[in-house]
Amino acid sequence: MKNEKRSLIAATFFAVFLFVITYQVIMGAVRNPYSDYLGHAENAELLLQSGLGPVLKEIGYPFWAFLVAGIMKLSGAPAYEASAIAGGLLNAFTYVLVFSYLAKECKEERLGTAALTWFLLLVGPFYIPWYNPDVYNGQVTPNIWHNPTTICVRPFAFLAFLLILRVLKEYEEEQKRLSAKTWLLLAACLVLCNLAKPSFVQIAVPGLAVYLLILLIRTRGKAFGFCFQTASAFVPCVCVMLWQMIVSFGTSSSAEGGIEIAWFDVMGASSPSIPFSMLLGYLFPLYIILTNLCIMKERDMQVTFFMWLAGFLEAAALAETGYRRYHGNFGWGYVLATFLVYVMTFRYFLKRNREYDYQNLKDRILVLGGWVIFALQLFIGIYYISTFFIPVG
C-alpha cells in the first residue's frame, strides 16, 4: 500500500512536469509564423466571436477549438496561451492513461513505471544529422509536439484502443459479447476521437476489420455475431467522418483539390530513403520485436500491427491534390499508430526486464541493448523538444 501511494505521488509529479514542459514547448512553437498552433488558435477566437456555425464550416474536428475557447473564457488568457494550457492538460492526460495501463501490467514496479512512462512520452526517432538535417521531418516519431490536434486526439485514441483490446479479450477468453453499456462507451469514445481528429478512426476501422476477419475464419463463422456487434459501434464515427470529408474538401475556406493515390510521393518528399528513415523511427520497437518474435503471436500486438499497417499504407499511398499535398495529412494516423507500437513494445520490454535470467549472459546483453537504444532515443527526443525553446530570429 505504501509503495502504491508513492507511485501515485510520483505519477502526479510527472504528469504536472509534463504539463509544464508542454506549456513551454507550445509557447515557444507559437513564435514561429508557420506554426500549426496559430491557425487553430484563430478557430478558437472565431468560435468565441461568431459562434458554432462558422467554425463548423471551417473545421470538421472542432474539439481543440472548443477546449481552447473554453480556457480563454474561463481564464481570460489570449488564444496562444490558452493553446499552451490545453496542450499541457492533454499531454498530462495521456501520461495518466499510459501510466495506468503500464502500472497495471507491471504491478511490482509501479514506482519505476511512473518515471519510465514519462521518459516514453519524450522519446524521439533516432537522428543522424548528416543523413537528414531535421529530427522530425522524414522520420516518423511516437511523440508529436508541433501539431495541436494530434496532441488532442492521442489520449482519446489510446482510451479507445484499450477499450477495443478489452472487448476482444473478453470475447476470446470468456465468450463475452459487448453489453449495451460497453457498446455505447466504445461508440462515444470513437466519435470523440473523430471530433478531436479523424486520424485514429482511419487506422482503427481497417486495422480492426482485418483482425475480425481473421477471427471469423479462425472460429469458422461462430464469431459473426460478436464481429457484427463490434463493427456496428464504428457506424456513428464513420458517419461523422463523412461529414468531416465534406468540410475538408467542400465548405472550408482552405478546401482545394481532392484525394489521389500517389505511392510514396508525400512520404518520400522529406526522406532521402524511406526504408532507412523507418529504421530510424522504429529502432526501439524493432529491436524489441526482433529479439522476442513470439510477442507477435499475442492478440494485443496483432491488433496493434494491423492498425500500424493501415496507417502506413494510408501515409504511403494517399495524397491531397491541392496546395496541402505535402502537409502530410494522411500521415497522422501513421503517427498515432507509431505511438501505439512504442507503448505496446515498451510494455513487453518491461515484462522482459522482470522475467529475464540475470545469470544468462545473452539475456543480459539483449536487455542492455534495449536500454541503450531507448536512452539514445530519449536523449534525441529531449534535444528535439529543446529546439522549441529557442526563439525564432
Side-chain angles (χ1 to χ4, degrees):
M1 184 66 77
K2 190 178 286 186
N3 191 39
E4 193 169 324
K5 277 187 178 179
R6 286 176 181 170
S7 68
L8 288 175
I9 292 169
T12 302
F13 167 79
F14 284 117
V16 172
F17 198 7
L18 188 60
F19 169 87
V20 172
I21 289 174
T22 307
Y23 178 89
Q24 293 295 337
V25 164
I26 295 174
M27 291 296 285
V30 295
R31 297 180 185 134
N32 189 324
Y34 301 104
S35 168
D36 288 351
Y37 288 97
L38 298 176
H40 288 282
E42 288 171 4
N43 289 327
E45 290 175 328
L46 179 65
L47 180 61
L48 290 176
Q49 293 166 6
S50 306
L52 186 59
V55 171
L56 294 183
K57 286 182 180 178
E58 286 298 313
I59 51 171
Y61 37 101
F63 188 91
W64 174 268
F66 271 92
L67 181 59
V68 173
I71 293 170
M72 289 170 68
K73 201 160 188 177
L74 287 172
S75 66
Y80 66 88
E81 190 172 350
S83 297
I85 295 170
L89 290 172
L90 288 161
N91 265 352
F93 183 33
T94 301
Y95 171 85
V96 170
L97 291 174
V98 177
F99 165 71
S100 299
Y101 171 70
L102 292 177
K104 184 180 176 183
E105 296 293 317
C106 309
K107 292 176 184 176
E108 292 87 348
E109 294 92 16
R110 288 177 64 94
L111 190 59
T113 302
L116 291 171
T117 302
W118 188 72
F119 293 147
L120 181 63
L121 297 183
L122 299 180
V123 298
F126 202 81
Y127 173 50
I128 303 176
W130 55 89
Y131 166 74
N132 197 333
D134 191 282
V135 176
Y136 164 70
N137 282 327
Q139 287 82 238
V140 69
T141 176
N143 297 304
I144 288 292
W145 299 91
H146 71 280
N147 185 265
T149 48
T150 298
I151 290 174
C152 187
V153 72
R154 188 165 66 160
F156 306 110
F158 188 64
L159 204 56
F161 175 72
L162 292 183
L163 194 52
I164 290 167
L165 294 185
R166 193 186 85 182
V167 163
L168 292 172
K169 179 182 179 182
E170 287 180 351
Y171 176 76
E172 293 185 46
E173 295 181 10
E174 304 169 33
Q175 297 302 300
K176 281 176 65 177
R177 295 191 179 185
L178 276 74
S179 64
K181 183 180 177 182
T182 303
W183 189 96
L184 286 169
L185 184 60
L186 178 58
C189 198
L190 290 166
V191 168
L192 189 56
C193 285
N194 270 81
L195 294 177
K197 196 181 185 90
S199 307
F200 176 71
V201 174
Q202 287 173 216
I203 63 170
V205 169
L208 187 59
V210 173
Y211 184 85
L212 291 178
L213 180 61
I214 293 171
L215 180 63
L216 266 175
I217 295 169
R218 205 169 66 229
T219 61
R220 298 181 181 179
K222 292 178 182 177
F224 179 79
F226 167 76
C227 293
F228 181 81
Q229 246 189 332
T230 305
S232 67
F234 282 79
V235 172
C237 70
V238 170
C239 291
V240 172
M241 186 178 286
L242 293 174
W243 162 69
Q244 290 174 317
M245 288 189 68
I246 291 170
V247 173
S248 295
F249 296 99
T251 64
S252 170
S253 60
S254 63
E256 180 184 317
I259 304 170
E260 70 173 6
I261 294 176
W263 282 99
F264 301 111
D265 179 55
V266 177
M267 190 181 280
S270 55
S271 172
S273 167
I274 292 172
F276 189 64
S277 290
M278 288 180 67
L279 176 64
L280 297 180
Y282 289 102
L283 201 59
F284 176 77
L286 271 175
Y287 179 85
I288 301 307
I289 292 169
L290 291 175
T291 56
N292 193 20
L293 285 170
C294 62
I295 67 175
M296 294 306 298
K297 296 178 182 178
E298 298 193 22
R299 174 183 52 251
D300 294 357
M301 278 304 298
Q302 289 175 0
V303 174
T304 306
F305 171 75
F306 289 133
M307 289 188 183
W308 173 86
L309 183 61
F312 170 74
L313 291 175
E314 286 171 13
L318 300 179
E320 293 179 82
T321 56
Y323 76 96
R324 296 180 301 201
R325 183 180 190 87
Y326 295 108
H327 289 190
N329 289 324
F330 285 108
W332 294 117
Y334 184 40
V335 170
L336 287 173
T338 301
F339 170 70
L340 297 178
V341 167
Y342 268 80
V343 173
M344 297 306 292
T345 51
F346 193 64
R347 168 203 166 190
Y348 286 108
F349 182 56
L350 292 181
K351 284 189 169 187
R352 177 77 185 273
N353 272 264
R354 190 173 58 192
E355 296 167 359
Y356 84 95
D357 183 0
Y358 285 81
Q359 304 304 316
N360 187 304
L361 179 61
K362 181 184 175 183
D363 270 11
R364 290 208 305 270
I365 291 171
L366 288 176
V367 169
L368 178 62
W371 283 120
V372 169
I373 293 170
F374 184 79
L376 286 170
Q377 290 194 232
L378 173 61
F379 174 78
I380 291 163
I382 292 171
Y383 163 73
Y384 180 56
I385 292 166
S386 73
T387 62
F388 288 94
F389 290 83
I390 303 170
V392 176

